[in-house]
Amino acid sequence: MDTFFRQLVNGLSLGGIYALIALGYTMVYGIVKLINFAHGDVMMIGAYAGYFVLRAAGATPAGFCAALFAAMLACVLLSLVIERFAYRPLRNSPRLNSLITAIAVELILQNVMRVLPFVGPNSRPFPTLASKTYRWVTPAFPDGIISVSTIQIIVIVSSVVLMLLLTLLINYTRTGKAMRAVSYDLGAASLMGINVNRTIAVTFVIGSILAGAAGVLYATAYPQIDPTMGYVPGLKAFVAAVLGGIGSVPGAMVGGVLLGVVETMVKAYGPSQYADAITYCILILMLLVKPSGLLGKKQVVKV
């Protein structure tokens, strides 16, 4: 029983990180129908920004907050450059062009980081906060029914807070209303006076803020970083976005948490070497049974 709850907490922690990254995928796709495969590497840039800040400020609560802010800022600036010079010129081109460009941006970010003298290709240990473990002990379970570390609490709480803030922004602000309008009909939104370019840029910025936070949280939970660290979490976050319903913000949240819990449970109770394969098999089954995802909506395309 204690192992089950411990793994459940691990899954919620990992799922929260997947959900933060998946939100970036699903928001961008929902507005411009672009699969931004460079999103995982934006997360990697955020992790490195947090790393250098923590090295300078020290692994303290204040240093961690500064690292989060630096990661978000670095990812925002990077996302604005990518959106303006890589994606915006191809907005009216065939989707395949944008997809290939996204893959190219991903490879460029990885290889630029590998050749930078202050980064390099080798992995580095990520400075982490001092962690304590809290246990819920009962007479039947003297070792504790649930054990949660400080780092897991930080990751889970931070993920939940950021997702709640995003939900409030989308549903109750003018920016969120503009994002929903552009997502529904870009042309009509433009005719109604909405600045489409600015709205799309804001969408990239919001997704990158979440990716930057996810980079620091992921590196805190799994304290090692390297220039390719964003590839696998980014790919799994994309799976989570599709699982929940690509284009659906609640779906990305649900898909990310579900994927994290399933992956952790498979590693704990099943053939751990096949955990990734089982994850992708679940995606294939979902696409066969419900192609729109758990919370996605069917779209009717006129021909």
Side-chain angles (χ1 to χ4, degrees), residues 13 30 179 192 251 283:
S13 174
M179 290 168 61
M192 294 299 293
L283 173 65

Side-chain angles (χ1 to χ4, degrees), residues 141-296:
F141 298 95
D143 294 331
I145 296 178
I146 300 177
S147 60
V148 184
S149 69
T150 305
I151 290 176
Q152 288 175 325
I153 293 174
I154 291 173
V155 170
I156 293 173
V157 171
S158 299
S159 300
V160 170
V161 169
L162 287 170
M163 286 187 280
L164 288 175
L165 289 175
L166 175 64
T167 302
L168 293 174
L169 185 147
I170 290 176
N171 293 323
Y172 299 104
T173 66
R174 292 185 62 184
T175 299
K177 185 181 292 186
M179 290 168 61
R180 285 184 281 126
V182 173
S183 174
Y184 186 77
D185 192 321
L186 187 148
S190 178
L191 292 174
M192 294 299 293
I194 295 175
N195 189 325
V196 172
N197 287 332
R198 185 174 63 188
T199 302
I200 293 174
V202 167
T203 303
F204 273 87
V205 164
I206 295 172
S208 297
I209 287 174
L210 299 177
V216 174
L217 295 175
Y218 186 84
T220 301
Y222 306 94
Q224 184 169 289
I225 59 174
D226 64 78
T228 61
M229 63 170 286
Y231 176 75
V232 173
L235 185 60
K236 290 183 178 178
F238 172 67
V239 171
V242 176
L243 184 65
I246 190 76
S248 168
V249 170
M253 298 178 188
V254 172
V257 173
L258 181 62
L259 187 67
V261 171
V262 169
E263 180 181 333
T264 303
M265 290 300 178
V266 170
K267 288 181 178 179
Y269 297 104
S272 59
Q273 64 271 28
Y274 298 120
D276 291 345
I278 292 173
T279 297
Y280 300 128
C281 286
I282 292 173
L283 173 65
I284 294 172
L285 290 174
M286 174 58 66
L287 292 175
L288 291 173
V289 175
K290 197 174 187 296
S292 59
L294 292 173
L295 301 180

Side-chain angles (χ1 to χ4, degrees), residues 47-201:
Y48 269 98
Y51 166 81
F52 289 116
V53 170
L54 282 172
R55 284 285 302 273
T60 62
F64 179 79
C65 293
L68 271 178
F69 178 78
M72 293 176 180
L73 180 60
C75 290
V76 164
L77 296 176
L78 178 62
S79 70
L80 289 174
V81 172
I82 293 173
E83 191 276 331
R84 178 63 184 85
F85 295 103
Y87 296 148
R88 188 179 298 182
L90 299 174
R91 190 172 297 162
N92 297 320
S93 301
R95 292 185 189 177
L96 181 61
N97 294 9
S98 299
L99 179 64
I100 294 173
T101 301
I103 296 173
V105 172
E106 175 186 29
L107 295 174
I108 289 170
L109 291 177
Q110 290 181 10
N111 287 282
V112 165
M113 293 298 284
R114 287 170 63 90
V115 300
L116 287 178
F118 55 89
V119 177
N122 299 322
S123 61
R124 302 185 181 197
F126 191 83
T128 56
L129 298 169
S131 181
K132 296 181 180 179
T133 300
Y134 302 93
R135 300 180 186 274
W136 178 24
V137 179
T138 65
F141 298 95
D143 294 331
I145 296 178
I146 300 177
S147 60
V148 184
S149 69
T150 305
I151 290 176
Q152 288 175 325
I153 293 174
I154 291 173
V155 170
I156 293 173
V157 171
S158 299
S159 300
V160 170
V161 169
L162 287 170
M163 286 187 280
L164 288 175
L165 289 175
L166 175 64
T167 302
L168 293 174
L169 185 147
I170 290 176
N171 293 323
Y172 299 104
T173 66
R174 292 185 62 184
T175 299
K177 185 181 292 186
M179 290 168 61
R180 285 184 281 126
V182 173
S183 174
Y184 186 77
D185 192 321
L186 187 148
S190 178
L191 292 174
M192 294 299 293
I194 295 175
N195 189 325
V196 172
N197 287 332
R198 185 174 63 188
T199 302
I200 293 174

